[in-house]
Every structure is written in structure tokens, then in C-alpha cells.
Amino acid sequence: MEKTIEYFKTHSTEEVAEFLLGMYVEHETSRGKLGGFIVDCEAYLGPDDEAAHSYGMRDTPRVRAMYQEPGTIYLYTMHTHLILNMITQPKGIPQGVMIRGLEPAEGVAEMIRNRGGQTGAAISDGPGKLVQAMGVSNELYGESIFNSRLHLVPEKRRYPKEIERLPRIGIPNKGIWTDMPLRFTVKGNPYLSKQRKNQIDSANGWCG
């Protein structure tokens, strides 16, 4: 974990987003451990990024976690769905990565239950879906992705065959930020948002 913490502290938000692809994230719940591999995420480069909640150094109670240490968990609600983010820069620099897709690996039956019976890619192929599947609640706001009940497990990580950079999803009318390639995906993984079936790789996009 020390190397992962150091990576967050010494690399750009875009580099951290790419680094997170294949990273294993685990949530210790009262119904057992739920976990999976990150396959889709987006970088947000506030205060310059017009799509970031911290654009222009906006500082409200809602975004206070964005100004905390690297690894701080930032959760917010969008269209009734809770969305998971990780802060990626030193305290006072409000940048982060939103987790958009997760390939389930442990506690899959419980994830399906959390998703109301949804199976396959529908378990966690979107930011709100994966948070619901993993049983994440707002109680984790402001805690650390390194040592809270919701945490990264670097020793379980996998490695993508190919990483694809794309424009972020749902960012209209934000000037240059609308089309900037700040979305990072494991190419060919079935748990990507808006993934087409004919683009799915037989190995889900993983090496080995």
C-alpha cells in the first residue's frame, strides 16, 4: 500500500486515473467483503476544469473533501445516485478521479442483491450502479481509500492489455473540457459504461 499512497502523492491526476485501472477495491460490510477491479474512471482537474465541482476553487460544505489529502473519499449525489471519487493531489489542490465502472470479483451474489437482482454488466457498469452494488454509503465521505472499510488492495490488482482515453461522459457545454480525453478505460472490458457487445474482449481486456 505504501507504493500506492506514494503514487497518489507524486503523480498527476491523469496519471493516477490511468494507474487505478485494474486496481482492486474492497468494501468490508456486515454481509461480507465486496470487491472488484476498476475498469473505467474519469479525471477532474479543478480548479481550471469547468466540469469539476471545485472549478474556480469553489469551496462549499458539499465539496470540502476535495481539499483534503490524497486518497480522501469524495461522495456526492447525482440524479439520486451516489458517486464515488478519490482525491489525487496534495491538500488544498481539489482534483480527483471518479470511478465509473467496476468488474465484480468477490461477493457477487450480494452485489446482485444490492442491485435489485440486476446481473451481468448491469451490476456495475456505471458510477451509480457500482456504488449501489458495493453497498457504499455517505458515511464514508471524507475517509481514506487507503485504510477505511472501503479501500484499495494493490496486491490483487490486474493489468490492462490496452488503456483507452476518451472524452468524459455527460459533460456538455464546458468548452474545451467537453471533449478533452480525461476518461480512462480498460479497452474491451464488458463493465464499461455504454460498452458495445461487439467491442468486448474475450479476456475482458486483461493481460494474462
Side-chain angles (χ1 to χ4, degrees):
M1 182 64 82
E2 289 78 13
K3 290 182 178 179
T4 298
I5 294 172
E6 186 65 17
Y7 199 96
F8 270 67
K9 289 181 177 179
T10 57
H11 289 74
S12 71
T13 296
E14 292 167 271
E15 289 170 331
V16 172
E18 187 168 331
F19 171 77
L20 283 171
L21 293 178
M23 181 63 74
Y24 192 88
V25 60
E26 179 179 87
H27 188 202
E28 297 178 359
T29 77
S30 60
R31 300 176 68 90
K33 292 181 179 180
L34 308 179
F37 302 97
I38 296 171
V39 300
D40 191 351
C41 59
E42 295 178 347
Y44 285 85
L45 310 180
D48 298 320
D49 185 347
E50 293 184 35
H53 291 168
S54 55
Y55 173 60
M57 293 298 284
R58 185 182 296 118
D59 189 2
T60 65
R62 178 196 187 199
V63 301
R64 69 181 185 277
M66 292 199 74
Y67 291 84
Q68 299 307 308
E69 292 81 6
T72 299
I73 295 170
Y74 170 50
L75 292 159
Y76 67 89
T77 302
M78 181 174 66
H79 306 310
T80 74
H81 299 294
L82 200 61
I83 309 296
L84 172 64
N85 301 258
M86 304 173 191
I87 302 312
T88 54
Q89 294 299 298
K91 188 172 183 178
I93 302 176
Q95 296 188 7
V97 172
M98 181 181 82
I99 309 306
R100 174 168 280 284
L102 185 85
E103 181 179 318
E106 184 176 6
V108 178
E110 179 66 12
M111 290 189 194
I112 291 171
R113 191 188 72 83
N114 288 343
R115 288 282 294 131
Q118 294 285 335
T119 60
I123 298 172
S124 51
D125 65 348
K129 296 176 185 180
L130 72 89
V131 168
Q132 185 180 37
M134 291 281 284
V136 172
S137 72
N138 235 334
E139 294 177 354
L140 288 161
Y141 183 100
E143 295 195 27
S144 176
I145 199 66
F146 303 134
N147 55 29
S148 69
R149 286 181 290 111
L150 179 69
H151 52 266
L152 304 178
V153 186
E155 57 268 28
K156 290 186 177 182
R157 74 168 303 148
R158 302 187 74 175
Y159 293 92
K161 291 180 185 177
E162 184 178 351
I163 291 172
E164 190 167 21
R165 292 189 63 162
L166 304 162
R168 295 172 294 188
I169 293 176
I171 310 293
N173 307 315
K174 298 298 182 182
I176 63 171
W177 299 97
T178 292
D179 298 316
M180 197 169 288
L182 293 174
R183 180 185 174 205
F184 299 78
T185 69
V186 176
K187 189 174 182 179
N189 191 277
Y191 291 89
L192 303 184
S193 295
K194 301 184 177 182
Q195 176 70 300
R196 296 177 181 175
K197 289 184 179 179
N198 64 2
Q199 296 176 325
I200 296 174
D201 177 71
S202 60
N204 288 3
W206 302 118
C207 293

